[in-house]
Amino acid sequence: MVNDAAELDSRALLEQERADLRHQLEELGFAALTYDSNFADSSQVTAERGEAEALATSLRETLDEVEHALVKIEDGTYGTCESCGDPIAPARLEAMPSARYCINCASKR
């Protein structure tokens, strides 16, 4: 298991990452994106829209992982591999606070 100080550090990192991701998604906001309908190259507009949607999908997936880790902190299961139930190495959690799996199980995926 993760000690209390490490858990507090992880929580702070995860909460900051969540805020950053939400801000990025807000800035990207598809409702706010405007594309000039008179723009000469509609394929350029389509490409830009596709890139924005791909980025938003990636940001949402990362946000889901961060929020999942925060739930695990709340329910006391943070730092436990979701596959084998063994503790996740502190160095792995430090590098990737939202890690769901120990390095052994992650390498099998």
Side-chain angles (χ1 to χ4, degrees), residues 7-25:
E7 189 173 289
L8 286 173
D9 289 344
S10 293
R11 179 191 301 265
L13 288 171
L14 288 162
E15 288 175 348
Q16 182 60 52
E17 186 174 3
R18 177 174 57 186
D20 292 346
L21 289 163
R22 286 179 175 170
H23 179 73
Q24 289 175 38
L25 282 165

Side-chain angles (χ1 to χ4, degrees), residues 33-103:
L33 283 181
T34 56
Y35 297 98
D36 185 354
S37 61
N38 296 318
F39 190 72
D41 188 357
S42 64
S43 63
Q44 175 75 25
V45 171
T46 301
E48 288 176 9
R49 184 177 296 136
E51 289 173 13
E53 289 172 354
L55 176 57
T57 297
S58 177
L59 290 171
R60 281 189 202 106
E61 289 170 355
T62 303
L63 180 58
D64 289 346
E65 291 296 315
V66 167
E67 289 180 339
H68 181 77
L70 287 166
V71 167
K72 288 181 69 167
I73 288 173
E74 290 300 316
D75 70 17
T77 61
Y78 182 75
T80 302
C81 177
E82 292 181 12
S83 181
C84 69
D86 288 344
I88 299 172
R92 178 162 169 75
L93 290 172
E94 185 177 334
M96 186 178 177
S98 60
R100 290 179 177 229
Y101 307 103
C102 68
I103 194 71

